[in-house]
mmCIF file of all heavy atoms in Angstrom:
data_model
loop_
_atom_site.group_PDB
_atom_site.id
_atom_site.type_symbol
_atom_site.label_atom_id
_atom_site.label_comp_id
_atom_site.label_asym_id
_atom_site.label_seq_id
_atom_site.Cartn_x
_atom_site.Cartn_y
_atom_site.Cartn_z
ATOM 1 N N MET A 70 -8.439 -15.320 -2.103
ATOM 2 C CA MET A 70 -8.940 -14.708 -0.944
ATOM 3 C C MET A 70 -7.925 -14.569 0.109
ATOM 4 O O MET A 70 -7.938 -13.572 0.836
ATOM 5 C CB MET A 70 -10.076 -15.746 -0.468
ATOM 6 C CG MET A 70 -11.304 -15.855 -1.282
ATOM 7 S SD MET A 70 -12.497 -17.181 -0.692
ATOM 8 C CE MET A 70 -13.114 -16.355 0.752
ATOM 9 N N GLU A 71 -7.022 -15.490 0.205
ATOM 10 C CA GLU A 71 -5.943 -15.450 1.256
ATOM 11 C C GLU A 71 -5.016 -14.282 0.989
ATOM 12 O O GLU A 71 -4.744 -13.485 1.901
ATOM 13 C CB GLU A 71 -5.151 -16.751 1.220
ATOM 14 C CG GLU A 71 -5.769 -17.929 1.669
ATOM 15 C CD GLU A 71 -4.969 -19.305 1.607
ATOM 16 O OE1 GLU A 71 -4.403 -19.496 0.511
ATOM 17 O OE2 GLU A 71 -4.847 -20.035 2.547
ATOM 18 N N GLU A 72 -4.702 -14.053 -0.280
ATOM 19 C CA GLU A 72 -3.878 -12.891 -0.624
ATOM 20 C C GLU A 72 -4.645 -11.558 -0.354
ATOM 21 O O GLU A 72 -4.025 -10.605 0.218
ATOM 22 C CB GLU A 72 -3.425 -12.957 -2.136
ATOM 23 C CG GLU A 72 -2.492 -11.845 -2.471
ATOM 24 C CD GLU A 72 -1.938 -11.962 -3.840
ATOM 25 O OE1 GLU A 72 -2.094 -12.983 -4.521
ATOM 26 O OE2 GLU A 72 -1.322 -10.902 -4.387
ATOM 27 N N ALA A 73 -5.810 -11.505 -0.785
ATOM 28 C CA ALA A 73 -6.640 -10.197 -0.619
ATOM 29 C C ALA A 73 -6.872 -9.831 0.884
ATOM 30 O O ALA A 73 -6.692 -8.677 1.231
ATOM 31 C CB ALA A 73 -7.950 -10.373 -1.315
ATOM 32 N N GLY A 74 -7.081 -10.910 1.686
ATOM 33 C CA GLY A 74 -7.356 -10.703 3.089
ATOM 34 C C GLY A 74 -6.226 -10.858 3.997
ATOM 35 O O GLY A 74 -6.357 -10.694 5.196
ATOM 36 N N ASN A 75 -4.977 -11.214 3.459
ATOM 37 C CA ASN A 75 -3.796 -11.305 4.219
ATOM 38 C C ASN A 75 -3.955 -12.344 5.416
ATOM 39 O O ASN A 75 -3.846 -12.020 6.609
ATOM 40 C CB ASN A 75 -3.311 -10.052 4.827
ATOM 41 C CG ASN A 75 -1.923 -10.080 5.397
ATOM 42 O OD1 ASN A 75 -1.115 -10.825 4.991
ATOM 43 N ND2 ASN A 75 -1.606 -9.146 6.388
ATOM 44 N N PHE A 76 -4.423 -13.520 5.030
ATOM 45 C CA PHE A 76 -4.569 -14.699 5.945
ATOM 46 C C PHE A 76 -4.075 -15.982 5.232
ATOM 47 O O PHE A 76 -3.888 -15.932 4.026
ATOM 48 C CB PHE A 76 -5.927 -14.815 6.564
ATOM 49 C CG PHE A 76 -6.973 -15.257 5.504
ATOM 50 C CD1 PHE A 76 -7.369 -16.561 5.467
ATOM 51 C CD2 PHE A 76 -7.546 -14.369 4.684
ATOM 52 C CE1 PHE A 76 -8.286 -16.977 4.553
ATOM 53 C CE2 PHE A 76 -8.456 -14.814 3.805
ATOM 54 C CZ PHE A 76 -8.829 -16.118 3.640
ATOM 55 N N HIS A 77 -3.869 -17.000 5.958
ATOM 56 C CA HIS A 77 -3.308 -18.231 5.375
ATOM 57 C C HIS A 77 -3.997 -19.416 5.967
ATOM 58 O O HIS A 77 -4.023 -19.590 7.161
ATOM 59 C CB HIS A 77 -1.765 -18.253 5.650
ATOM 60 C CG HIS A 77 -1.139 -19.294 4.740
ATOM 61 N ND1 HIS A 77 -1.214 -19.343 3.335
ATOM 62 C CD2 HIS A 77 -0.296 -20.357 5.114
ATOM 63 C CE1 HIS A 77 -0.556 -20.357 2.874
ATOM 64 N NE2 HIS A 77 0.035 -20.990 3.836
ATOM 65 N N ILE A 78 -4.470 -20.237 5.082
ATOM 66 C CA ILE A 78 -5.101 -21.580 5.420
ATOM 67 C C ILE A 78 -4.387 -22.670 4.828
ATOM 68 O O ILE A 78 -3.952 -23.591 5.502
ATOM 69 C CB ILE A 78 -6.572 -21.563 5.033
ATOM 70 C CG1 ILE A 78 -7.403 -20.561 5.710
ATOM 71 C CG2 ILE A 78 -7.173 -22.997 5.278
ATOM 72 C CD1 ILE A 78 -8.851 -20.353 5.234
ATOM 73 N N MET A 79 -4.132 -22.585 3.478
ATOM 74 C CA MET A 79 -3.626 -23.770 2.741
ATOM 75 C C MET A 79 -2.096 -23.766 2.624
ATOM 76 O O MET A 79 -1.496 -23.007 1.852
ATOM 77 C CB MET A 79 -4.246 -23.739 1.310
ATOM 78 C CG MET A 79 -5.464 -24.373 1.184
ATOM 79 S SD MET A 79 -5.412 -26.150 1.442
ATOM 80 C CE MET A 79 -4.293 -26.662 0.133
ATOM 81 N N ASP A 80 -1.406 -24.636 3.436
ATOM 82 C CA ASP A 80 -0.082 -24.916 3.318
ATOM 83 C C ASP A 80 0.079 -26.243 2.676
ATOM 84 O O ASP A 80 -0.380 -27.217 3.166
ATOM 85 C CB ASP A 80 0.554 -24.925 4.706
ATOM 86 C CG ASP A 80 2.091 -25.166 4.626
ATOM 87 O OD1 ASP A 80 2.605 -25.703 3.636
ATOM 88 O OD2 ASP A 80 2.777 -24.764 5.565
ATOM 89 N N PRO A 81 0.749 -26.336 1.438
ATOM 90 C CA PRO A 81 0.878 -27.593 0.782
ATOM 91 C C PRO A 81 1.568 -28.701 1.602
ATOM 92 O O PRO A 81 1.249 -29.853 1.357
ATOM 93 C CB PRO A 81 1.798 -27.221 -0.424
ATOM 94 C CG PRO A 81 1.627 -25.797 -0.621
ATOM 95 C CD PRO A 81 1.314 -25.145 0.711
ATOM 96 N N LEU A 82 2.414 -28.314 2.503
ATOM 97 C CA LEU A 82 3.056 -29.369 3.350
ATOM 98 C C LEU A 82 2.077 -29.962 4.334
ATOM 99 O O LEU A 82 2.087 -31.072 4.721
ATOM 100 C CB LEU A 82 4.295 -28.735 4.120
ATOM 101 C CG LEU A 82 5.427 -28.303 3.248
ATOM 102 C CD1 LEU A 82 6.496 -27.668 4.101
ATOM 103 C CD2 LEU A 82 5.969 -29.479 2.408
ATOM 104 N N GLU A 83 1.147 -29.188 4.807
ATOM 105 C CA GLU A 83 0.100 -29.595 5.708
ATOM 106 C C GLU A 83 -1.035 -30.296 5.049
ATOM 107 O O GLU A 83 -1.816 -31.133 5.656
ATOM 108 C CB GLU A 83 -0.420 -28.386 6.520
ATOM 109 C CG GLU A 83 0.549 -27.762 7.526
ATOM 110 C CD GLU A 83 -0.075 -26.681 8.379
ATOM 111 O OE1 GLU A 83 -0.980 -27.051 9.177
ATOM 112 O OE2 GLU A 83 0.277 -25.489 8.149
ATOM 113 N N PHE A 84 -1.287 -29.943 3.805
ATOM 114 C CA PHE A 84 -2.457 -30.457 3.018
ATOM 115 C C PHE A 84 -2.006 -31.001 1.718
ATOM 116 O O PHE A 84 -2.424 -30.540 0.628
ATOM 117 C CB PHE A 84 -3.532 -29.298 2.797
ATOM 118 C CG PHE A 84 -4.049 -28.739 4.082
ATOM 119 C CD1 PHE A 84 -3.669 -27.542 4.511
ATOM 120 C CD2 PHE A 84 -5.095 -29.460 4.710
ATOM 121 C CE1 PHE A 84 -4.166 -27.050 5.660
ATOM 122 C CE2 PHE A 84 -5.658 -28.982 5.947
ATOM 123 C CZ PHE A 84 -5.202 -27.745 6.430
ATOM 124 N N PRO A 85 -1.125 -32.060 1.730
ATOM 125 C CA PRO A 85 -0.655 -32.571 0.439
ATOM 126 C C PRO A 85 -1.675 -33.219 -0.383
ATOM 127 O O PRO A 85 -1.592 -33.160 -1.640
ATOM 128 C CB PRO A 85 0.438 -33.635 0.956
ATOM 129 C CG PRO A 85 0.034 -34.020 2.371
ATOM 130 C CD PRO A 85 -0.603 -32.766 2.950
ATOM 131 N N ALA A 86 -2.694 -33.827 0.245
ATOM 132 C CA ALA A 86 -3.706 -34.499 -0.605
ATOM 133 C C ALA A 86 -4.603 -33.548 -1.361
ATOM 134 O O ALA A 86 -4.886 -33.663 -2.502
ATOM 135 C CB ALA A 86 -4.505 -35.455 0.290
ATOM 136 N N ILE A 87 -4.900 -32.429 -0.597
ATOM 137 C CA ILE A 87 -5.752 -31.373 -1.292
ATOM 138 C C ILE A 87 -4.884 -30.715 -2.327
ATOM 139 O O ILE A 87 -5.425 -30.363 -3.436
ATOM 140 C CB ILE A 87 -6.175 -30.362 -0.134
ATOM 141 C CG1 ILE A 87 -7.236 -30.956 0.804
ATOM 142 C CG2 ILE A 87 -6.926 -29.107 -0.868
ATOM 143 C CD1 ILE A 87 -7.718 -30.044 1.878
ATOM 144 N N SER A 88 -3.603 -30.482 -2.065
ATOM 145 C CA SER A 88 -2.764 -29.831 -3.022
ATOM 146 C C SER A 88 -2.609 -30.661 -4.309
ATOM 147 O O SER A 88 -2.670 -30.107 -5.410
ATOM 148 C CB SER A 88 -1.363 -29.584 -2.402
ATOM 149 O OG SER A 88 -1.445 -28.748 -1.308
ATOM 150 N N SER A 89 -2.518 -31.965 -4.136
ATOM 151 C CA SER A 89 -2.502 -32.796 -5.332
ATOM 152 C C SER A 89 -3.847 -32.794 -6.065
ATOM 153 O O SER A 89 -3.872 -32.747 -7.315
ATOM 154 C CB SER A 89 -2.231 -34.313 -4.893
ATOM 155 O OG SER A 89 -2.215 -35.176 -5.978
ATOM 156 N N TRP A 90 -4.926 -32.820 -5.323
ATOM 157 C CA TRP A 90 -6.246 -32.672 -5.981
ATOM 158 C C TRP A 90 -6.352 -31.391 -6.669
ATOM 159 O O TRP A 90 -6.955 -31.342 -7.802
ATOM 160 C CB TRP A 90 -7.357 -32.875 -4.971
ATOM 161 C CG TRP A 90 -8.673 -32.358 -5.395
ATOM 162 C CD1 TRP A 90 -9.553 -33.056 -6.144
ATOM 163 C CD2 TRP A 90 -9.249 -31.085 -5.186
ATOM 164 N NE1 TRP A 90 -10.680 -32.272 -6.479
ATOM 165 C CE2 TRP A 90 -10.512 -31.062 -5.833
ATOM 166 C CE3 TRP A 90 -8.908 -29.959 -4.510
ATOM 167 C CZ2 TRP A 90 -11.385 -29.982 -5.895
ATOM 168 C CZ3 TRP A 90 -9.738 -28.848 -4.525
ATOM 169 C CH2 TRP A 90 -11.000 -28.873 -5.191
ATOM 170 N N LYS A 91 -5.896 -30.294 -6.089
ATOM 171 C CA LYS A 91 -5.996 -28.980 -6.808
ATOM 172 C C LYS A 91 -5.367 -29.017 -8.151
ATOM 173 O O LYS A 91 -5.894 -28.528 -9.164
ATOM 174 C CB LYS A 91 -5.353 -27.909 -5.919
ATOM 175 C CG LYS A 91 -6.186 -27.493 -4.706
ATOM 176 C CD LYS A 91 -5.304 -26.499 -3.819
ATOM 177 C CE LYS A 91 -4.809 -25.299 -4.573
ATOM 178 N NZ LYS A 91 -4.024 -24.340 -3.731
ATOM 179 N N LYS A 92 -4.190 -29.635 -8.177
ATOM 180 C CA LYS A 92 -3.440 -29.691 -9.520
ATOM 181 C C LYS A 92 -4.200 -30.603 -10.460
ATOM 182 O O LYS A 92 -4.459 -30.203 -11.647
ATOM 183 C CB LYS A 92 -2.077 -30.284 -9.300
ATOM 184 C CG LYS A 92 -1.224 -30.292 -10.540
ATOM 185 C CD LYS A 92 0.134 -30.774 -10.278
ATOM 186 C CE LYS A 92 1.028 -30.650 -11.565
ATOM 187 N NZ LYS A 92 0.387 -31.340 -12.733
ATOM 188 N N ASN A 93 -4.726 -31.692 -10.117
ATOM 189 C CA ASN A 93 -5.453 -32.586 -10.862
ATOM 190 C C ASN A 93 -6.731 -31.853 -11.510
ATOM 191 O O ASN A 93 -7.119 -32.033 -12.545
ATOM 192 C CB ASN A 93 -5.907 -33.894 -10.200
ATOM 193 C CG ASN A 93 -4.709 -34.732 -9.856
ATOM 194 O OD1 ASN A 93 -3.737 -34.745 -10.602
ATOM 195 N ND2 ASN A 93 -4.898 -35.545 -8.754
ATOM 196 N N PHE A 94 -7.369 -31.151 -10.540
ATOM 197 C CA PHE A 94 -8.576 -30.482 -10.867
ATOM 198 C C PHE A 94 -8.353 -29.362 -11.933
ATOM 199 O O PHE A 94 -9.067 -29.246 -12.909
ATOM 200 C CB PHE A 94 -9.286 -29.825 -9.564
ATOM 201 C CG PHE A 94 -10.628 -29.313 -9.847
ATOM 202 C CD1 PHE A 94 -11.731 -30.106 -10.054
ATOM 203 C CD2 PHE A 94 -10.735 -27.923 -9.877
ATOM 204 C CE1 PHE A 94 -12.982 -29.506 -10.240
ATOM 205 C CE2 PHE A 94 -12.002 -27.299 -10.057
ATOM 206 C CZ PHE A 94 -13.068 -28.105 -10.273
ATOM 207 N N LEU A 95 -7.351 -28.476 -11.613
ATOM 208 C CA LEU A 95 -7.098 -27.397 -12.556
ATOM 209 C C LEU A 95 -6.418 -27.811 -13.837
ATOM 210 O O LEU A 95 -6.565 -27.062 -14.782
ATOM 211 C CB LEU A 95 -6.273 -26.426 -11.828
ATOM 212 C CG LEU A 95 -6.850 -25.646 -10.681
ATOM 213 C CD1 LEU A 95 -5.813 -24.790 -9.960
ATOM 214 C CD2 LEU A 95 -7.979 -24.732 -11.149
#
C-alpha cells in the first residue's frame, strides 16, 4: 500500500517491535 500510494508509515527504526513481529509472523 505504501509503495502504491507513495506514502510511508512503517520505519523499522521507529517500530522495531512490530518489525520483529512481522518477521516472526511471515
Side-chain angles (χ1 to χ4, degrees):
M70 294 175 72
E71 291 177 310
E72 182 176 349
N75 192 28
F76 68 100
H77 193 55
I78 295 171
M79 272 294 299
D80 184 334
L82 295 178
E83 292 184 68
F84 299 102
I87 294 176
S88 298
S89 177
W90 165 80
K91 282 173 57 178
K92 183 178 186 307
N93 292 332
F94 186 76
L95 291 173

